[in-house]
Amino acid sequence: MELKYKIDMKHILPLILVLCFFTNCSKDDIESKNYDYYYPTEQATLTAENIPGSTEAFDPKGIAVSKDKLYVVNGNVLEVFDALTFTHIKTIKEYVKGTTTIPLTSLTSVAVDNGRIYVGSTESRLFVFDETTNAGISTVGNGQWWKTFVHVFGVVVKDGLVFVKEKEKSIKVFETSQITETSDWDLQPLAKLNTLNGYTEVYSMDVYGGNLVVAGRDARSYLYYNIANIKANAAASLTTPIEPQKTQFVDIKPIAVSFSKDWAVTSENVGSASYLRLYPKEDFIKQNYKAVVNASDILGQNSFGTIVGTAQLNDFIFLSDNTNKKIRIIKLNKSTIAEQNN
């Protein structure tokens, strides 16, 4: 039997009108949504060749940016570059204060804050310089590991506090006001923190949103210490160091972290691969880890080695690539993609 369909247009027309309403048939109703896409490109690299008269192998570790200058820990010296032109300014080889001169050796870390440069050494010292003149202000620790510090593997300074990562699981906290031109080298810490794991690796830390954030490479997590809690429990922490809040990773080892205007600029190792990852810092401080930039190389070339320090100035991201013995300067580019909903 043959079936035939009879179409009654007076019934179909209302249906077409309803479908048009729900599917935005009118051109006037077309809407678009913009998406920002960020991607890195290679801008420049700094190696031993960029340091006039250098005869030593380039061994970059901790880095910091302040007042358009890039500070790079390089083995036994502190290199200073122009952060805008990338030209070399000077090499700081010694701590000099009056008649006292101490050669810099075995450096690991650098921080700049409020007119001072803080440089950490595994020789169990923290050197403090004047940012403008580079003259010595003070030293904390005298080189004896059983005294003030059991070596120094990381330092960050902000909001009147100095955080110093020691060997194994210890971070000691000092007040900047404790360090003066006449202060003693054997200062007593305000508080102590526990990094859960660790040994003799260079550690990266920064402060944002009322928290000290540590790239906990050995704990496989970012470690968050609330600064108000540190101050409230400072005395008790000298006996039982404060433990962090964290989100545990399985395969990810955070190596470096720093905060810029918009981003948490991080490096993370996954297996044998090293990644540059940028997180919106407001999400990152809430432990929401959705990277906007996730790159193990630049456009498929020049894979990153282990990045032990990060910093940002304007659109330039500075990476201390210790594996490849260079500072890689990356430009952060932004494209806007419009998606139309027809």
Side-chain angles (χ1 to χ4, degrees):
M1 178 184 292
E2 183 179 356
L3 297 178
K4 295 183 178 180
Y5 295 91
K6 181 179 180 180
I7 300 176
D8 190 338
M9 291 304 294
K10 70 178 181 179
H11 293 139
I12 294 297
L13 283 174
L15 177 60
I16 293 174
L17 291 174
V18 170
L19 288 173
C20 282
F21 176 78
F22 284 107
T23 58
N24 298 314
C25 284
S26 172
K27 291 183 179 179
D28 294 334
D29 291 334
I30 295 176
E31 296 181 355
S32 64
K33 185 174 182 179
N34 293 336
Y35 295 90
D36 291 333
Y37 172 69
Y38 296 88
Y39 61 97
T41 54
E42 197 95 47
Q43 185 71 21
T45 59
L46 300 176
T47 66
E49 295 180 357
N50 300 96
I51 304 170
S54 175
T55 59
E56 300 293 330
F58 194 53
D59 186 23
K61 291 181 181 173
I63 61 175
V65 170
S66 176
K67 298 179 182 177
D68 295 339
K69 292 180 180 178
L70 170 68
Y71 296 87
V72 179
V73 164
N74 174 25
N76 298 322
V77 300
L78 180 68
E79 308 288 1
V80 187
F81 295 88
D82 187 307
L84 299 176
T85 66
F86 316 138
T87 55
H88 185 260
I89 297 174
K90 69 186 302 185
T91 299
I92 300 175
K93 300 179 179 181
E94 299 171 323
Y95 169 92
V96 180
K97 180 183 177 183
T99 59
T100 299
T101 299
I102 305 173
L104 301 182
T105 56
S106 304
L107 305 183
T108 58
S109 44
V110 60
V112 186
D113 178 75
N114 198 27
R116 292 177 170 185
I117 305 168
Y118 299 79
V119 180
S121 165
T122 57
E123 297 296 320
S124 301
R125 277 193 172 109
L126 181 70
F127 298 95
V128 185
F129 300 86
D130 182 276
E131 183 180 3
T132 302
T133 66
N134 301 148
I137 294 175
S138 187
T139 60
V140 186
N142 72 341
Q144 296 175 308
W145 63 264
W146 58 92
K147 293 288 188 178
T148 315
F149 299 121
V150 185
H151 316 301
V152 174
F153 291 97
V155 61
V156 69
V157 186
K158 199 161 188 179
D159 299 334
L161 295 177
V162 182
F163 301 91
V164 180
K165 174 68 174 68
E166 292 187 288
K167 183 179 178 180
E168 298 181 345
K169 300 184 294 183
S170 173
I171 294 176
K172 285 180 177 174
V173 186
F174 302 85
E175 293 177 303
T176 55
S177 59
Q178 291 177 264
I179 304 172
T180 69
E181 291 187 350
T182 58
S183 59
D184 187 71
W185 60 264
D186 193 18
L187 298 180
Q188 298 305 305
L190 169 74
K192 292 183 180 180
L193 312 178
N194 183 344
T195 61
L196 305 179
N197 300 89
Y199 194 55
T200 59
E201 303 86 358
V202 173
Y203 263 64
S204 174
M205 310 176 282
D206 206 353
V207 174
Y208 176 69
N211 291 275
L212 169 70
V213 181
V214 178
R217 53 194 300 166
D218 296 291
R220 294 184 182 271
S221 55
Y222 291 100
L223 311 177
Y224 295 74
Y225 303 86
N226 181 270
I227 292 176
N229 181 61
I230 293 173
K231 292 179 178 179
N233 295 281
S237 74
L238 298 177
T239 302
T240 305
I242 296 169
E243 295 191 356
Q245 298 293 317
K246 66 183 180 70
T247 297
Q248 188 66 53
F249 300 140
V250 177
D251 299 320
I252 297 171
K253 291 181 65 175
I255 305 297
V257 60
S258 64
F259 293 104
S260 62
K261 178 177 177 292
D262 299 308
W263 308 106
V265 184
T266 76
S267 71
E268 299 172 359
N269 285 2
V270 182
S272 60
S274 299
Y275 289 85
L276 166 66
R277 287 176 172 160
L278 268 61
Y279 300 91
K281 68 179 183 180
E282 298 301 335
D283 292 337
F284 183 90
I285 207 68
K286 298 174 184 176
Q287 302 185 47
N288 295 326
Y289 303 115
K290 294 182 179 179
V292 172
V293 171
N294 180 28
S296 61
D297 54 35
I298 300 299
L299 302 178
Q301 297 181 333
N302 299 325
S303 296
F304 296 125
T306 296
I307 299 165
V308 296
T310 65
Q312 183 175 359
L313 177 64
N314 303 326
D315 292 334
F316 296 131
I317 296 174
F318 300 90
L319 306 177
S320 181
D321 188 335
N322 189 258
T323 301
N324 294 309
K325 303 303 180 186
K326 62 179 68 175
I327 298 295
R328 298 182 66 168
I329 303 169
I330 307 302
K331 184 177 181 182
L332 182 63
N333 303 275
K334 175 181 175 182
S335 294
T336 300
I337 300 173
E339 180 184 88
Q340 289 189 340
N341 299 316
N342 295 323

